[in-house]
Amino acid sequence: MARREADPVSFPHRYEDAGDREVVALLSALLAFGQVQTIRASIARVLASLGPSPARTIDTIGEASLGARLEGFVHRVYRGQDVARLLAGAAALRRRSGSLARAIEVFADDEAIEVPPALASRARLVRVLVGLGDALRGPPPHRRGLVHLVPDARRGSACKRLLLFLRWMARPADGVDLGLARLSPSALVIPLDTHVHRIARNLALTDRADASLRTAIEITDALARLDAEDPVRFDFAICHLGVSRQCPSRRDRSLCERCALRDVCRHWR
Ligand code: SF4
């Protein structure tokens, strides 16, 4: 529970209503970029501007009003207007499909969304990434900050934060993830950041050096050999091993002694 409280996923858990949870999950996952304390402060700043029910607020006020509430907001390369566009896109999706959870399910089944051939083996998942990305960014031209805030899977991005949102939404409610969308956990791909990539290489889950969506898929396929139904259930533990700096990525008797992964770590074979 302490690790959950230090993680951005703690924010959606503060709300009872499923609509609030999904909106706060989207916001929290997509702002999860940079230092932990800065991320938490930025999410809290946006939530403070959205009142007690973020879903009701974004459903009832427009992008201009959201932008006014977020005037002066800066998180890395993101500005208040980027977050306002994101939230307006989320509200449009909720109007169209009834909820973000339902929108995810619809995108997963939408044969009309083009998927790059290289990623065809994960077509349902890539359709969700492409559909969500297009809907949340809205029509071009896009600001640089907005393009980074909501990445495009067709351009090879690992889409780490969108995949984190999908993990939270689609994995069963286990005290960390939320279990709101009916997308099979077997379709998910691990959200790949530098920590997960480094530890995945330690564990010989991949040899690939690039932090791309293809590498994320390769790692997920390796994890599927341990649990085909729910390969990304290991993500929270792997990520926090990296964030806590308890993995030195080399033989270190004092740090590695307590590591549960030592038997499968390439530094100890
Ligand atoms: S055994 Fe050591 S190097 Fe290997 S994963 Fe564990 S902490 Fe990291």
Side-chain angles (χ1 to χ4, degrees), residues 202 246-250 256 259 262 265 267-268:
N202 287 351
Q246 287 173 348
C247 172
S249 288
R250 57 181 162 74
C256 296
C259 180
R262 184 167 144 167
C265 176
H267 301 296
W268 288 91

Side-chain angles (χ1 to χ4, degrees), residues 5-60:
E5 284 312 301
D7 190 282
V9 77
S10 64
F11 286 96
H13 281 281
R14 296 177 184 181
Y15 298 82
E16 290 296 325
D17 178 76
D20 289 326
R21 283 191 166 198
E22 66 177 18
V23 169
V24 175
L26 179 74
L27 174 77
S28 304
L30 292 191
L31 287 180
F33 172 63
Q35 288 190 326
V36 175
Q37 291 310 323
T38 311
I39 292 168
R40 295 185 66 81
S42 292
I43 297 169
R45 156 77 172 87
V46 178
L47 291 179
S49 76
L50 297 178
S53 174
R56 197 178 328 128
T57 300
I58 70 164
D59 289 348
T60 51

Side-chain angles (χ1 to χ4, degrees), residues 14 57 83 155 163 238 245:
R14 296 177 184 181
T57 300
V83 178
R155 298 185 176 207
L163 287 170
I238 292 174
R245 303 192 187 283

